[in-house]
Amino acid sequence: GAVVSQHPSWVICKSGTSVKIECRSLDFQATTMFWYRQFPKQSLMLMATSNEGSKATYEQGVEKDKFLINHASLTLSTLTVTSAHPEDSSFYICSAMVSNQPQHFGDGTRLSIL
Amino acid sequence: AQSVTQLGSHVSVSEGALVLLRCNYSSSVPPYLFWYVQYPNQGLQLLLKYTSAATLVKGINGFEAEFKKSETSFHLTKPSAHMSDAAEYFCAVSDNNNDMRFGAGTRLTVKP
């Protein structure tokens, strides 16, 4: 149980395009979803926290207009990297949780911007 | 604010040897503590968690960790390393499972 699916797992696109990443909780309804960014050989850095039906809470230094988060249902959150540039290349990981339970992580999305 | 410090970015052990990955935490409230494992190009898998019950926590794959409040530590151990244990390990602290902060990670290498 408690499976979180991320799609796509790998995406390569040209600079200037927008990329959408989906995060789904497959067998449970997640009260909260999280988006992390991980640079090579580094730890996970929390980007934002989102609750279904409300605006995401972004961490300091994360551009809201750059990283658009939509959490339309209890099983789906999306992260859209708008007008992506090479410096946005990274490994993006989502997680989902039900109240007072540990976060369950997706397998991540490797984003490469040419 | 909570934080964790993982001592040693890289640990190398021989197959069959003891694995010890160190984690120290800082928290102003009783913490929830976690260890996660990450294999290449994958997300994080929960190994074990401490939530103020027993101080010795047993997890999956033979790993365990002991919460020591006096030392503010939550070190991860496994008596005998397997080749399949080679991965990146992250310690994390949370006050309520929501605001989770990760350590920098420790890469475990297992030599045959």
Side-chain angles (χ1 to χ4, degrees), chain B residues 50-105:
Chain B
Y50 166 78
T51 56
S52 76
T55 57
L56 181 62
V57 182
K58 294 187 182 298
I60 63 172
N61 302 340
F63 284 94
E64 63 181 36
E66 186 172 7
F67 173 72
K68 292 186 176 180
K69 185 177 180 180
S70 60
E71 299 177 7
T72 61
S73 69
F74 190 59
H75 302 330
L76 181 71
T77 60
K78 182 174 180 177
S80 176
H82 293 171
M83 297 297 292
S84 60
D85 293 328
E88 188 86 17
Y89 291 81
F90 292 96
C91 181
V93 64
S94 170
D95 55 359
N96 58 4
N97 288 319
N98 279 5
D99 188 11
M100 184 174 287
R101 302 292 164 170
F102 289 86

Side-chain angles (χ1 to χ4, degrees), chain A residues 87-106:
Chain A
E87 59 267 26
D88 298 323
S89 298
S90 191
F91 193 55
Y92 293 87
I93 303 176
C94 76
S95 70
M97 63 168 275
V98 178
S99 296
N100 300 320
Q101 296 297 316
Q103 296 179 31
H104 298 280
F105 289 81

